[in-house]
């Protein structure tokens, strides 16, 4: 029985990447050493890191105005690093709140003593839509505007990025990074934890406009963007294995035809599942149609006990990790880049049978 | 030709661990998922994390007065986390300076605005000995005393830990953690980056007395000890693969007979190499004999060009990564737990031949 892993993260990786890691594990590039044993101060690793940066730059068409950083930890570390590096002159931070992870970014900034303002929120609509930013709002008092391109838990995405803001735009792109073709030039800083579309947990990518790389003297070194850029992400020992794996995933993505090609596949996968849900009288998704996420598709039978039964039966049928986030409940299928069309078809087959047996 | 990796870190791991990772990589515990794809919110991973904690507790005889934390990043992240969590009431921080990494800890505390005082230093002796702490020094003004049990770069260790200090004692044990039998009860907080004796780069272990787990409201979440303890090291996505690998290394160490047994082997390995160096008229080590490190053995021919020739010839002979730290020069052989006796014998054989050919 084929196994399909619909986890929201850490999540499915391309099988070809797992196979390559396995083959190379005892001795990388005939070095006699495992990637787990290789010093970051070797030409071998330096080449791995620089190739990963170059491949990411090519995949997202990132201009030389931007620096690419690899930093330890995931989105939560960046929730702190962004304000620590970008807020000057006691400015406030503006947020668009489109779900749980937007709020977590806001809370972390508050924890560190920054003043936050939510300029748009769909909390009152239970995050069933992307809130509209009033573009006439004056933004002079804010250091930057932060948004979350994809709300992993609720299953909605900002597909159209606000522009001409006159202040830096910062995006947490963790859960649809490289899955949907955003234009990096629309942003001043993009960050993404690897454990969705990019690699294993333990590393994040930060793409930052070089003019924002200001030298600060009082930031924790491991969160200091300027220092990290200056030292090519190796001020201290980086997460070698995670960066190596990210490099392999990027090579795989290039072989798939890049972001435009994978986006076509992702659109097809998501359309199939949404269409199935919309045509069903058993399952529902109540996200505003034009704001629906391609990578995280939430749905429910309307009954928490029946949802639980779906999860159990799906597990037995090889469709794993359909449980919604503990703060949200219901069901969720995450269709990241590595999920093949066959997985979505298997899920739809399973859900169809389950509906027939439990209607 | 067998390959021996004398890197100071990331460093050699037990071959049995690499073999097990490789075997389990496509499907962990028949889950159909790789450890790289498994959510940290699964019973499977929770069990991995809790087993690693229990094994570490057993190996170091850690009482229930202490909590064990897994945190992202290495020693450099802890250089910041320790003062952020432990300094209250504007107290100063006391340091013993026994090398480059002691200074890095001091500098990071200063970067964050803390007031530091070096109570003992062997900088003027070029770190050839462990400086003596005057135990009559009043410590009331200090939040804690920080020391580095092993100076990875210079190759010296604090084998006898000061006690009855009346303030908390904090140790960076990164490079001889689990290699030498320290008594955890002598410390209030011990931290160690994994990439020496414990696993791959990307995770650190923190062993902290529970009474130091004070709730702070203004610390970066990913560096907050109280929050990390409260959430069993899973406030956010932890570095799943690194923790899994640490768990395998701990199981391996138990199978070796634990810390006392590996210490006997480490003593023998180090004694053989020091004895060889001391008997040679070609190589020298100038560390005070009773302060010599078991895990990082520094030596030199006295000529930087000849040292470079040693490194090149050693690489060709399968003895890799003998280059001293870029800030220190010379030669260094790191003999962590995973380095077999055969590796040390091969190194001595090589050095003997090199001496005969180049004297």
């Amino acid at each position: 029985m084929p196994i399909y892993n619909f986890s929201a993260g850490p999540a499915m990786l391309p099988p070809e990447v797992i196979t390559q890691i396995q083959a190379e594990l005892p001795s990388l590039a005939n070095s006699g050493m495992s990637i787990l044993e290789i010093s970051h101060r070797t030409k071998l690793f330096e080449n791995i890191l620089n190739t990963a940066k170059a491949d990411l730059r090519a995949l997202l068409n990132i201009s030389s105005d931007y620096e690419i950083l690899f930093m330890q930890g995931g989105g939560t570390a960046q929730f702190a690093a962004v304000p620590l590096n970008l807020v000057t002159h006691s400015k406030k931070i503006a947020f668009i709140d489109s779900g749980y992870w937007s709020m977590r970014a806001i809370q972390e900034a508050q924890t560190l003593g920054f003043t936050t303002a939510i300029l748009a929120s769909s909390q009152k609509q239970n995050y069933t839509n992307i809130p509209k930013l009033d573009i006439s709002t004056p933004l002079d008092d804010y250091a930057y505007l932060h948004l979350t391109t994809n709300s992993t838990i609720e299953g909605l995405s900002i597909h159209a990025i606000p522009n001409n803001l006159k202040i830096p735009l910062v995006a947490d792109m963790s859960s649809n990074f490289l899955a949907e073709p955003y234009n990096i030039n629309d942003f001043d800083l993009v960050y993404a934890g690897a454990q969705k579309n990019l690699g294993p947990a333990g590393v994040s990518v930060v793409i930052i406009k070089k003019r924002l790389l200001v030298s600060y003297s009082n930031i924790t070194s491991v969160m200091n963007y300027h220092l990290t850029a200056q030292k090519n992400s190796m001020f201290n020992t980086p997460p070698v294995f995670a960066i190596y794996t990210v490099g392999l995933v990027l090579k795989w993505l290039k072989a798939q035809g890049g972001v435009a090609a994978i986006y076509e596949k992702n659109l097809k996968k998501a359309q199939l599942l949404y269409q199935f849900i919309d045509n069903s009288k058993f399952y529902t998704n109540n996200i505003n149609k034009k704001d629906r996420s391609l990578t995280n598709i939430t749905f429910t039978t309307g009954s928490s006990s029946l949802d639980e039964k779906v999860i159990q039966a799906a597990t037995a049928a090889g469709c794993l990790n359909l449980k919604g986030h503990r703060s949200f409940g219901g069901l969720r299928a995450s269709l990241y880049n590595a999920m093949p069309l066959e997985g979505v078809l298997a899920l739809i087959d399973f859900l169809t049978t389950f509906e027939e047996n439990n209607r």
Side-chain angles (χ1 to χ4, degrees), chain A:
Chain A
M1 181 178 71
I3 296 285
Y4 297 106
N5 176 9
F6 294 95
S7 172
M12 194 171 170
L13 290 175
E16 298 91 329
V17 168
I18 303 286
T19 302
Q20 188 173 349
I21 296 170
Q22 191 184 26
E24 293 180 342
L25 201 68
S27 176
L28 184 69
N30 295 317
S31 66
M33 295 177 285
S34 170
I35 181 66
L36 304 175
E37 305 173 308
I38 280 177
S39 169
H40 56 297
R41 303 284 176 205
T42 53
K43 285 269 174 250
L44 187 53
F45 180 69
E46 206 183 335
N47 185 42
I48 287 170
L49 186 143
N50 288 333
T51 303
K53 282 172 67 173
D55 285 343
L56 183 61
R57 201 174 277 282
L59 279 164
L60 287 175
N61 205 11
I62 302 169
S63 82
S64 61
D65 292 344
Y66 294 82
E67 188 55 83
I68 297 171
L69 314 177
F70 291 105
M71 302 188 80
Q72 305 236 12
T76 301
Q78 295 309 314
F79 295 163
V82 172
L84 287 171
N85 283 277
L86 261 53
V87 178
T88 52
H89 307 101
S90 310
K91 287 205 171 181
K92 297 185 286 183
I93 312 170
F95 285 89
I96 296 178
D97 167 30
S98 57
Y100 176 93
W101 287 108
S102 300
M103 284 305 302
R104 284 280 295 267
I106 295 165
Q107 285 158 6
E108 184 73 13
Q110 290 171 343
T111 291
L112 294 171
F114 295 99
T115 306
T116 61
I118 297 175
L119 300 193
S121 174
S122 52
Q123 187 176 27
K124 285 185 182 155
Q125 293 81 44
N126 287 319
Y127 301 120
T128 50
N129 67 294
I130 292 295
K132 276 215 176 66
L133 179 70
D134 177 356
I135 52 163
S136 70
T137 310
L139 294 170
D140 302 340
D141 291 347
Y142 301 101
Y144 59 88
L145 174 69
H146 180 282
L147 57 79
T148 314
T149 55
N150 185 74
S151 297
T152 326
I153 289 177
E154 298 83 359
L156 66 162
S157 292
I158 303 179
H159 300 294
I161 301 300
N163 49 28
N164 296 319
L165 285 176
K166 299 191 174 79
I167 60 168
L169 180 62
V170 174
D172 174 3
M173 210 178 270
S174 295
S175 54
N176 67 350
F177 190 63
L178 295 168
E180 193 165 335
Y182 292 108
N183 182 351
I184 294 297
N185 293 318
D186 287 346
F187 306 92
D188 298 85
L189 191 158
V190 167
Y191 63 91
Q195 68 269 20
K196 315 286 182 186
N197 260 320
L198 194 57
V203 69
S204 293
V205 164
V206 177
I207 303 166
I208 182 171
K209 222 167 222 175
K210 286 178 182 167
R211 65 169 178 77
L212 293 180
L213 289 170
V214 180
S215 173
Y216 284 92
S217 58
N218 62 342
I219 302 177
T220 308
S221 299
V222 296
M223 290 195 173
N224 188 320
Y225 291 148
H226 180 263
L227 188 62
T228 305
Q230 198 179 40
K231 301 290 187 179
N232 196 25
S233 299
M234 290 190 281
F235 172 69
N236 61 323
T237 313
V240 171
F241 176 77
I243 293 172
Y244 155 79
T245 305
V246 165
L248 297 185
V249 172
L250 294 173
K251 286 257 179 270
W252 172 86
L253 184 52
K254 282 176 80 175
Q256 302 299 304
V259 177
I262 208 89
Y263 173 61
E264 287 304 314
K265 288 185 192 171
N266 288 341
L267 265 181
K268 185 169 182 191
K269 288 171 350 194
Q271 279 167 353
L272 277 170
L273 186 52
Y274 280 123
Q275 200 167 42
F276 167 77
I277 294 167
D278 289 343
N279 289 339
S280 153
K281 293 199 169 70
F282 191 74
Y283 307 103
T284 56
N285 164 289
N286 63 350
I287 303 295
N288 186 30
K289 284 192 180 173
K290 73 173 187 45
D291 298 330
R292 283 170 162 181
S293 168
L294 300 183
T295 45
N296 306 96
I297 298 184
T298 51
F299 56 108
T300 178
T301 63
S303 148
S304 61
S305 61
L306 203 51
D307 284 348
E308 188 52 44
K309 208 173 153 187
V310 171
I311 295 159
Q312 298 303 326
T315 304
C319 293
L320 308 187
N321 299 314
L322 286 181
K323 196 177 171 65
H325 189 267
R326 64 209 140 82
S327 72
F328 193 73
L331 303 164
R332 174 176 52 176
S334 295
L335 312 182
Y336 296 124
N337 289 351
M339 175 60 64
L341 182 62
E342 293 72 24
V344 181
L345 296 175
L347 175 61
I348 292 173
D349 271 356
F350 161 76
L351 292 171
T352 304
T353 308
F354 186 91
E355 177 176 350
E356 284 165 8
N357 295 338
N358 292 272
R359 195 158 35 193

